[in-house]
Amino acid sequence: MKVVIIGGSGLIGRKLSTLLRHAGHEVASASPSSGVNTVTGEGLDQALVGAQVVVDVSNSPSFADEQVMQFFQDSTRNLLAASAKAGVGHFIALSVVGADRAPASGYLRAKVAQESAIGNGSVPYTIVRATQFFEFLMPIAHANTSGQTVRLPTGPLQPMAASDVAAALAEVVGHEPLNGISDIAGPEAIPLDDLIRHVLKTEKDAREVVTDHHATYFGAPLTDGSLIPAGKHWTGRTSLDHWLAAEAEAR
């Protein structure tokens, strides 16, 4: 099939492109660097000519509440219109597990708006909600650091490797549209404070993690089940320790 990956130059897009090409698909990567702007619609019609599947793994350049909402609203509207025009048979979008359970987060509110637009559109679709990536655990630590102290709540995350996210999306490309939502997650749910404490210790980072029940996750309170799958889900194979060891070896 011809598969167009929106955001194909990013972390997930690059890994997904490789997997799909190895599987024999024709893959086109679309991003601003290739002349495709989903917010303005520039280049979209040309990029989607002949596409049977569109996978949207794009992300907003700004995480500020108003800007991220505007990005996902404009981008998704243009993508759905162009996909319908091109006769795309399957629209796949990457979202976030628990997006609808953390309304205090402007980013997650924007992802819910994206999901709603896709669900109300005319193009057959599958929304794949993923848990946080291992690759973003250090940025979480940085965002909650003051001096040498990292303050974090105990609510659990069930993080996964970006390579496993790409593998799950590659499987979805080969399936019929679900016209619904599928959750994917890592192999283990771990309290956020313990999770970051383990990562910092492994990385020989001297910062101290302090458990703070009032601390937030990018502005949103983190409860026991807010950002982990609530039911049946696809589980990635890569453990955190395996990923950390591989990252250390790659350096």
Side-chain angles (χ1 to χ4, degrees):
M1 296 183 291
K2 179 179 179 181
V3 182
V4 177
I5 302 176
I6 308 298
S9 62
L11 174 65
I12 302 299
R14 293 194 306 272
K15 294 178 183 297
L16 179 59
S17 294
T18 299
L19 292 175
L20 293 178
R21 289 192 176 102
H22 285 168
H25 298 293
E26 176 188 351
V27 179
S29 176
S31 63
S33 62
S34 67
V36 179
N37 188 319
T38 58
V39 174
T40 65
E42 178 187 359
L44 261 183
D45 287 346
Q46 299 93 316
L48 268 54
V49 171
Q52 292 153 289
V53 179
V54 170
V55 185
D56 182 11
V57 293
S58 63
N59 211 347
S60 172
S62 169
F63 283 6
D65 288 2
E66 289 186 12
Q67 287 91 333
V68 73
M69 178 64 77
Q70 198 67 56
F71 172 85
F72 281 115
Q73 287 181 330
D74 292 346
S75 176
T76 304
R77 180 179 62 250
N78 290 333
L79 277 169
L80 291 173
S83 295
K85 182 178 179 180
V88 170
H90 193 179
F91 187 93
I92 301 166
L94 181 62
S95 189
V96 181
V97 166
D100 55 342
R101 300 196 297 269
S105 164
Y107 182 84
L108 295 182
R109 289 197 302 272
K111 294 302 287 184
V112 170
Q114 178 193 29
E115 293 179 358
S116 178
I118 294 167
N120 291 324
S122 62
V123 183
Y125 72 94
T126 301
I127 293 168
V128 178
R129 283 181 171 178
T131 53
Q132 186 58 272
F133 309 159
F134 292 148
E135 285 81 354
F136 295 151
L137 294 179
M138 270 301 204
I140 291 173
H142 298 334
N144 289 275
T145 295
S146 177
Q148 286 294 101
T149 301
V150 187
R151 295 188 176 278
L152 292 166
T154 58
L157 294 187
Q158 195 166 333
M160 63 191 303
S163 57
D164 285 342
V165 176
L169 288 169
E171 286 189 19
V172 174
V173 166
H175 295 164
E176 292 298 312
L178 184 63
N179 291 320
I181 297 172
S182 176
D183 282 355
I184 64 175
E188 184 180 9
I190 307 171
L192 181 56
D193 55 343
D194 287 342
L195 178 63
I196 301 302
R197 193 174 286 118
H198 179 69
V199 171
L200 295 181
K201 181 179 179 180
T202 302
E203 294 292 314
K204 296 180 171 56
D205 189 311
R207 284 177 290 178
E208 178 189 8
V209 175
V210 173
T211 301
D212 182 347
H213 298 289
H214 299 290
T216 62
Y217 177 82
F218 296 109
L222 189 59
T223 64
D224 283 350
S226 56
L227 293 180
I228 61 175
K232 182 180 178 182
H233 60 277
W234 186 97
T235 304
R237 297 180 178 180
T238 308
S239 70
L240 175 59
D241 285 337
H242 179 84
W243 182 84
L244 287 168
E247 287 294 298
E249 184 177 343
R251 291 196 292 267

